Amino acid sequence: MNAKLDRMDRLTGNEKVNGARVILDYKTGKANVGGWLGARPDEPQLPLYAVARDENAGGEVAAVAFARVKAGEMEFKGIAREEGLIPEVGTLVEQRSAAAKQYGSWEDLLSSWRRELEALGREFAAGEARVDPKDKRKLATCRYCEVKPLCRIYERYGAPADGDAGSGEPE
Ligand code: SF4
């Protein structure tokens, strides 16, 4: 699989962070850190970079973040191993998402990403094609999918009520 990383910086400054990497993904739209968390992450791109860098290319990864480049809304949103690596990017304990509470540490988060992504990769390689949307309650996963009549998702789980279908954005 080929994937292109937007930006990776190598940190310098003190003994603790020297050589560690931060991975950045530029975004003009909504940046949802919660999409990296929990089982079957909705936005696995940055976790994938972090795990690949951590494992294959050497150089410990110490933070991942979206860099929002929309005019008037410039900001970083992400997760860092420790404070002060990227402006306004906090550690796991500072995340608002309830899903962040399941990780005991930054290392635990990296290990979890590795497990989730390896499992997804194995399923893909094995041709796994179950009709098994992640969000079975609101079916937000299926909102923009055009093959609903073929997979008969509404027959399995029922059509979401008006206003309950969500925005299509991961939660
Ligand atoms: S509607 Fe699309 S995304 Fe949802 S279960 Fe069916 S094939 Fe998968």
Side-chain angles (χ1 to χ4, degrees):
M1 175 185 158
N2 292 319
K4 191 164 178 299
L5 173 63
D6 280 347
R7 176 169 172 158
M8 180 167 60
D9 286 4
R10 185 169 174 270
L11 298 173
T12 57
N14 63 51
E15 227 172 70
K16 205 170 163 192
V17 303
N18 269 351
R21 269 68 173 181
V22 299
I23 292 178
L24 299 176
D25 191 27
Y26 294 113
K27 273 229 172 209
T28 51
K30 195 173 170 188
N32 177 31
V33 172
W36 302 337
L37 305 174
R40 298 166 68 185
D42 292 298
E43 297 198 44
Q45 195 177 6
L46 272 182
L48 184 62
Y49 292 144
V51 167
R53 179 73 207 186
D54 210 51
E55 275 186 355
N56 301 328
E60 177 192 5
V61 173
V64 292
F66 292 120
R68 289 199 71 214
V69 290
K70 190 172 180 183
E73 296 177 36
M74 310 287 266
E75 63 176 347
F76 290 107
K77 286 183 84 172
I79 307 175
R81 186 184 65 194
E82 61 206 71
E83 293 289 341
L85 301 183
I86 304 176
E88 296 168 33
V89 170
T91 62
L92 269 171
V93 295
E94 292 163 275
Q95 301 299 317
R96 281 185 304 166
S97 163
K101 309 288 179 261
Q102 68 190 279
Y103 308 103
S105 64
W106 172 253
E107 289 70 26
D108 189 22
L109 176 63
L110 287 178
S111 299
S112 172
W113 281 346
R114 192 170 294 118
R115 280 194 305 275
E116 287 294 334
L117 294 168
E118 284 174 356
L120 289 172
R122 275 196 302 275
E123 287 184 6
F124 182 78
E128 176 61 63
R130 272 172 301 157
V131 176
D132 183 25
K134 178 176 170 181
D135 174 6
K136 295 181 179 60
R137 191 170 62 86
K138 296 182 181 177
L139 294 180
T141 321
C142 308
R143 186 173 172 88
Y144 299 110
C145 182
E146 294 179 354
V147 300
K148 294 183 191 76
L150 294 178
C151 78
R152 303 166 74 180
I153 190 69
Y154 290 164
E155 289 176 41
R156 288 166 185 259
Y157 297 108
D162 281 351
D164 199 28
S167 63
E169 295 290 341
E171 295 182 351

